[in-house]
Amino acid sequence: MSKQVSTEIDPKIAEAARHAPKPGMDNIIEMNGVNKWFGQFHVLRDINLKVKQGERIVVCGPSGSGKSTLIRCINRLEEHQAGQIVVDGIELTNDVKKVETIRREVGMVFQHFNLFPHLTVLQNCTLGPIWVQKRPQREAEETARKYLERVRIPEQANKYPGQLSGGQQQRVAIARSLCMNPRVMLFDEPTSALDPEMIKEVLDVMVGLASTGMTMLVVTHEMGFARTVADRVIFMDEGQIVEENTPEPFFSNPQHERTKLFLSQIL
Amino acid sequence: MSFVANDYKPEQPPPRKESGALGWARANLFNSWFNTALTLLALYFLIETVPPLIRWLFIDAVWGLVGPDVCREADGACWSFIRLKYRQILFGTYPFDQQWRPLIAMILIVSVALLSCIRRFWQPWMVGVWIATLFIYITLLGGGVFGLRPVRTELWGGLPLTLMLAFVGIAVAFPISVLLALGRRSDMPIIKAICVGYIELIRGVPLITLLFMASFMLPLFMPSGVSIDAVLRAQVAIIVFVSSYLAEVIRGGLQALPKGQYEAAHTLGLSYWQMQRKIILPQALTISIPPIVNTYLGLFKDTSLVAIISLTDLLLATRQSFADPEWRRFFVEAYIFVALIYWVFCYYMSKYSQYLERVLNTGHKR
């Protein structure tokens, strides 16, 4: 775990992130009494979480604590069985149209990138805009190149994902999500599958994104990242939110015993 | 003990392999006493079999247009038999003076098939070209319009019939099997049950049974006066049979895809059909190319089973060609000839599938 803590964020980028727009007043995500089971296993227990427009939240916790499941419920990659999830004013139900609408507003970055290996980097980025948002190809490509520039790999546009390094692939995955102009970005352990040397290039991109005022929910163990950009840190254990605070008191003065134990092991 | 490297070692080429024919032979044929023995044994067999075969096939063979008595005197193959009977083998029972029609039809369909192999022509309008080609093909064979003499389908035969059954089978079974494979993985219980039932029922019976049912039992259930053409029934039986096999092959490809591909597609907001068309099927079908082509090669050769419902396909036409008592003993030549025809088509399909695998593989470095 020590390697993750040692990953320093570029100070210039971090400084920009500190001057990011402050979160708004409106809730873009509301989870009320959300429960979920995998078979008999109660994976999410009475989750109540409100995320404001522009807020950046880091979710951490031991493995199996339900943090991935929590954010995967927000774009319905997992279905919750009880409670209510409202994203941008739309309640998640079995209505496929509503689910598709919400997915268009919510971008997601996965641990294992999940790029489409049969498409070039550029095609990966333009697929959603062209087919889901029905934008003209030229316009979609311009947007894609802009975001590839932002994640600092414009020169890889015509390569296939299999030809890129892990860090580059993850940055393409971020660009692919951004091309859909999402209102919320979910990150599911985006650096866990990366070599130490590549974690930094992905974190820099994420910090840069935070400074644009994007609403972000990030499941990660990168505590440097949490300190730099998070407005709030949520600690989960056994399917419930155990502690929730702004980064400074969360790290320096954790309240719950489980949080103290967790932090003592990774810091 | 500590160690610090003071410089990086330069890159060097790999060691050269043992070169030359002799070096290769030593490394591959004579590298142990057992391999040496095997090599010598194989050489012995080749010396024993290849020269006589070549003598029989070419040197002692009868190439001229001569009668069966001359052939009987010769020691080699009787190719004059093929020269005399090739039209019967190729076109079966099709009326002799009208055989230019199936010839043009075959040239047309093979040309269109070759064109479809070129990547530049993988366009939606190619479907229209194929439908038009098929229409022209059937019109040429069947006649009855544009002053072409009508020829009943019972008389269609030989290679044109085989090609039609195979090409139409390949083309029509493919979309059906994709739908069956998707249906079998569907969340909708009724659709899933229908697909599973279809696949398991059809895969459980031999093609011959299906052909029999299509040609003898189906008419019993039809209202009197309604009859479906024999070739069409055989064609449908082949399509039904092959699509069930192909569906399982494609399902294998679908299952090989990681769940993350579906999740990424969902996350972008793609609908079910967009996801299948743009993300899932292109990858699943590319993975499945070798077994798909396997199934197609099987289909191509299985068309010869239509002989059992008295359609004169290429193989039955060949058998009929040496029914003449005078020529009966030259069946080997006939089979060699027809085997060569089957082999050319199958070999080309196999080669093309290898090419496809190469150009469609982007998952790794190119």
Side-chain angles (χ1 to χ4, degrees), chain A residues 149-168:
Chain A
E149 192 97 40
R150 167 108 65 97
V151 300
R152 296 180 228 160
I153 35 172
E155 71 285 354
Q156 312 285 6
N158 293 317
K159 287 195 182 167
Y160 286 95
Q163 296 166 299
L164 306 184
S165 73
Q168 290 172 324

Side-chain angles (χ1 to χ4, degrees), chain A residues 72 75 77 100 103 106 108 110 114-118 127 131-132 134 160 162-163 176 180, chain B residues 259-261 263-271 274 277-279 282-283 362-363 365-366:
Chain A
R72 286 161 61 88
N75 63 353
L77 287 184
E100 280 176 10
R103 282 174 176 164
V106 179
M108 185 162 200
F110 301 88
N114 295 349
L115 294 177
F116 306 127
H118 62 301
L127 188 90
W131 290 91
V132 178
K134 314 284 179 203
Y160 286 95
Q163 296 166 299
R176 176 175 72 178
M180 296 290 289
Chain B
K259 203 166 139 239
Q261 292 292 308
E263 290 180 351
H266 284 318
T267 303
L268 286 179
L270 294 176
S271 70
Q274 285 175 333
R277 232 185 95 205
K278 291 281 150 194
I279 308 299
Q283 295 183 66
T362 57
K365 286 210 166 79
R366 269 209 288 185

Side-chain angles (χ1 to χ4, degrees), chain A residues 6-257:
Chain A
S6 72
T7 313
E8 292 291 325
I9 308 283
D10 193 327
K12 262 185 288 178
I13 301 175
E15 186 54 33
R18 259 176 229 114
H19 295 113
K22 290 280 165 270
M25 295 313 289
D26 304 331
N27 288 333
I28 191 155
I29 300 170
E30 278 185 46
M31 302 177 94
N32 299 317
V34 172
N35 280 280
K36 176 171 178 61
W37 290 262
F38 285 134
Q40 292 296 311
F41 179 54
H42 198 172
V43 60
L44 290 182
R45 304 181 193 180
D46 193 27
I47 300 288
N48 291 293
L49 176 65
K50 294 190 174 40
V51 182
K52 293 204 163 46
Q53 172 80 56
E55 207 175 8
R56 292 160 300 252
I57 293 178
V58 164
V59 184
C60 60
S63 66
S65 59
K67 50 198 190 309
S68 284
T69 311
L70 172 80
I71 67 163
R72 286 161 61 88
C73 278
I74 294 170
N75 63 353
R76 212 170 181 77
L77 287 184
E78 305 286 357
E79 256 175 63
H80 60 284
Q81 283 129 319
Q84 187 193 37
I85 301 179
V86 182
V87 180
D88 204 13
I90 306 167
E91 187 182 349
L92 269 172
T93 57
N94 279 326
D95 185 341
V96 180
K97 287 283 155 234
K98 279 185 183 171
V99 172
E100 280 176 10
T101 311
I102 286 173
R103 282 174 176 164
R104 261 173 257 157
E105 312 250 309
V106 179
M108 185 162 200
V109 174
F110 301 88
Q111 181 177 359
H112 295 288
F113 331 133
N114 295 349
L115 294 177
F116 306 127
H118 62 301
L119 301 176
T120 63
V121 164
L122 192 67
Q123 288 167 333
N124 263 279
C125 293
T126 55
L127 188 90
I130 290 175
W131 290 91
V132 178
Q133 298 175 333
K134 314 284 179 203
R135 281 153 63 186
Q137 182 174 347
R138 183 182 299 270
E139 186 192 314
E141 282 179 5
E142 271 172 28
T143 315
R145 287 186 196 282
K146 184 181 93 188
Y147 283 114
L148 288 174
E149 192 97 40
R150 167 108 65 97
V151 300
R152 296 180 228 160
I153 35 172
E155 71 285 354
Q156 312 285 6
N158 293 317
K159 287 195 182 167
Y160 286 95
Q163 296 166 299
L164 306 184
S165 73
Q168 290 172 324
Q169 290 193 44
Q170 192 60 298
R171 285 184 282 154
V172 172
I174 294 173
R176 176 175 72 178
S177 279
L178 292 177
C179 284
M180 296 290 289
N181 286 325
R183 302 198 59 197
V184 179
M185 284 285 283
L186 308 175
F187 293 82
D188 189 0
E189 305 207 27
T191 56
S192 300
L194 296 176
D195 290 343
E197 285 187 305
M198 295 170 181
I199 291 177
K200 183 180 172 329
E201 62 190 47
V202 171
L203 285 183
D204 282 350
V205 166
M206 287 169 61
V207 176
L209 181 62
S211 63
T212 65
M214 174 68 76
T215 311
M216 293 164 77
L217 265 94
V218 186
V219 173
T220 185
H221 295 127
E222 297 295 339
M223 293 306 147
F225 174 82
R227 278 183 208 269
T228 314
V229 303
D231 297 303
R232 243 191 308 163
V233 182
I234 288 172
F235 178 74
M236 286 184 73
D237 185 39
E238 299 200 354
Q240 58 190 31
I241 295 175
V242 170
E243 189 161 349
E244 183 182 330
N245 213 334
T246 49
E248 188 44 43
F250 179 85
F251 288 111
S252 56
N253 188 20
Q255 300 298 310
H256 197 281
E257 283 308 313

Side-chain angles (χ1 to χ4, degrees), chain B residues 92-167:
Chain B
T93 44
Y94 203 87
F96 194 78
D97 60 329
Q98 296 291 314
Q99 285 175 359
W100 58 272
R101 279 156 53 181
L103 179 68
I104 293 177
M106 280 197 303
I107 293 173
L108 177 74
I109 205 168
V110 170
S111 318
V112 174
L114 287 175
L115 279 183
S116 320
C117 290
I118 302 170
R119 219 178 168 178
R120 197 147 40 90
F121 292 116
W122 295 356
Q123 307 286 343
W125 50 260
M126 210 59 202
V127 177
V129 171
W130 267 103
I131 292 171
T133 305
L134 208 65
F135 186 74
I136 297 170
Y137 197 87
I138 291 167
T139 310
L140 268 171
L141 258 67
V145 281
F146 308 122
L148 294 172
R149 210 171 82 202
V151 177
R152 285 178 297 121
T153 54
E154 291 91 87
L155 296 176
W156 296 11
L159 190 56
L161 179 66
T162 295
L163 285 185
M164 190 185 82
L165 291 175
F167 280 155

Side-chain angles (χ1 to χ4, degrees), chain B residues 153-303:
Chain B
T153 54
E154 291 91 87
L155 296 176
W156 296 11
L159 190 56
L161 179 66
T162 295
L163 285 185
M164 190 185 82
L165 291 175
F167 280 155
V168 175
I170 286 173
V172 179
F174 184 73
I176 295 177
S177 59
V178 168
L179 293 179
L180 282 171
L182 291 178
R184 189 164 188 171
R185 286 168 58 83
S186 164
D187 296 330
M188 289 176 269
I190 296 173
I191 289 184
K192 184 173 175 162
I194 291 172
C195 293
V196 171
Y198 176 94
I199 292 169
E200 296 304 338
L201 188 71
I202 303 296
R203 271 203 314 170
V205 295
L207 176 55
I208 291 188
T209 321
L210 281 184
L211 288 169
F212 261 123
M213 297 224 306
S215 67
F216 299 120
M217 284 178 60
L218 205 59
L220 296 180
F221 302 126
M222 287 300 206
S224 60
V226 178
S227 77
I228 304 173
D229 181 82
V231 172
L232 181 63
R233 278 179 290 176
Q235 181 74 74
V236 169
I238 288 175
I239 289 169
V240 164
F241 183 75
V242 172
S243 57
S244 73
Y245 273 88
L246 211 51
E248 286 298 275
V249 163
I250 291 170
R251 189 167 70 94
L254 290 172
Q255 274 172 344
L257 286 194
K259 203 166 139 239
Q261 292 292 308
Y262 290 88
E263 290 180 351
H266 284 318
T267 303
L268 286 179
L270 294 176
S271 70
Y272 176 81
W273 290 110
Q274 285 175 333
M275 172 177 80
Q276 296 298 349
R277 232 185 95 205
K278 291 281 150 194
I279 308 299
I280 305 302
L281 285 175
Q283 295 183 66
L285 294 178
T286 308
I287 301 172
S288 318
I289 286 174
I292 287 176
V293 172
N294 221 0
T295 312
Y296 281 168
L297 293 183
L299 156 70
F300 189 75
K301 289 173 288 187
D302 280 352
T303 54

